[in-house]
């Protein structure tokens, strides 16, 4: 089974965890990036911006060349928890996968500073609403 760990990391914590997971799983590592100015603010301002983006489903643009162009059987999306939800770039990545007709399984991996909140339920709902095959095994 060919796997990829696609990660978005605001502070570097999720990136480190994704690197360890990729090594353990024998998976390719893929970094999800957004333009530098999008989340340059402090943590509270980023949280407020993310809540607004989630409420309005206005997700940031991600680097298109970072989206996998090869077929993976599974893509594990690693993201930090922001206000109880996946970091907004994870949603952008799911939309890109759906747009490109990705047919494999997607699952989630999170890093948090205390609580996962609705991270997994929200991720699953978004993936399924986009027609992606969500599998949290």
């Amino acid at each position: 089974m060919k796997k990829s760990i696609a990660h978005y990391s605001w502070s570097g914590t999720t990136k480190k965890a994704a690197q360890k997971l990729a090594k353990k799983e024998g998976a390719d590592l893929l970094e999800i990036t957004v333009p530098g100015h999008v989340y340059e603010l402090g943590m509270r301002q980023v949280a407020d911006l993310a809540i607004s983006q989630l409420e309005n489903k206005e997700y940031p643009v991600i680097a298109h060349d970072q989206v996998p162009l090869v077929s993976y059987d599974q893509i594990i999306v690693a993201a930090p928890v922001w206000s109880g939800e996946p970091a907004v770039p994870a949603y952008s990545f799911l939309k890109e996968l759906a747009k490109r007709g990705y047919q494999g399984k997607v699952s989630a991996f999170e890093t948090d500073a205390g609580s996962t909140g609705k991270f997994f339920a929200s991720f699953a709902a978004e993936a399924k609403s986009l027609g992606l095959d969500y599998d949290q095994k």
Side-chain angles (χ1 to χ4, degrees), residues 4 72-77 93-94 97-98 102-109 123-124 126-128 130-137:
S4 176
Y72 288 100
D73 299 307
Q74 181 182 21
I75 297 178
I76 300 168
V77 182
F93 185 75
L94 289 176
L97 289 176
Y102 177 70
Q103 296 297 309
K105 296 188 180 303
V106 293
S107 55
F109 175 82
F123 185 95
E126 184 71 9
K128 290 174 183 176
L130 293 167
L132 297 169
D133 185 6
Y134 175 77
D135 182 16
Q136 193 58 43
K137 289 184 182 177

Side-chain angles (χ1 to χ4, degrees), residues 16-38:
K16 289 177 190 171
Q19 289 169 333
K20 288 180 184 177
L21 182 61
K23 187 175 181 180
K24 177 184 172 198
E25 295 285 328
D28 294 340
L29 191 63
L30 178 75
E31 187 169 19
I32 301 167
T33 61
V34 296
H37 67 281
V38 175

Side-chain angles (χ1 to χ4, degrees), residues 4-99:
S4 176
I5 311 297
H7 67 88
Y8 171 76
S9 187
W10 185 69
S11 68
T13 301
T14 304
K15 181 176 185 172
K16 289 177 190 171
Q19 289 169 333
K20 288 180 184 177
L21 182 61
K23 187 175 181 180
K24 177 184 172 198
E25 295 285 328
D28 294 340
L29 191 63
L30 178 75
E31 187 169 19
I32 301 167
T33 61
V34 296
H37 67 281
V38 175
Y39 297 117
E40 285 181 337
L41 309 167
M43 190 167 62
R44 291 198 190 279
Q45 292 91 349
V46 168
D48 290 343
L49 175 59
I51 289 168
S52 173
Q53 289 174 326
L54 288 169
E55 287 173 352
N56 297 311
K57 290 197 176 254
E58 293 175 352
Y59 307 142
V61 172
I62 59 173
H64 290 277
D65 61 345
Q66 297 298 318
V67 178
L69 301 176
V70 298
S71 279
Y72 288 100
D73 299 307
Q74 181 182 21
I75 297 178
I76 300 168
V77 182
V81 177
W82 286 358
S83 301
E85 301 281 344
V88 184
Y91 288 120
S92 297
F93 185 75
L94 289 176
K95 284 181 73 173
E96 277 295 320
L97 289 176
K99 183 171 125 181

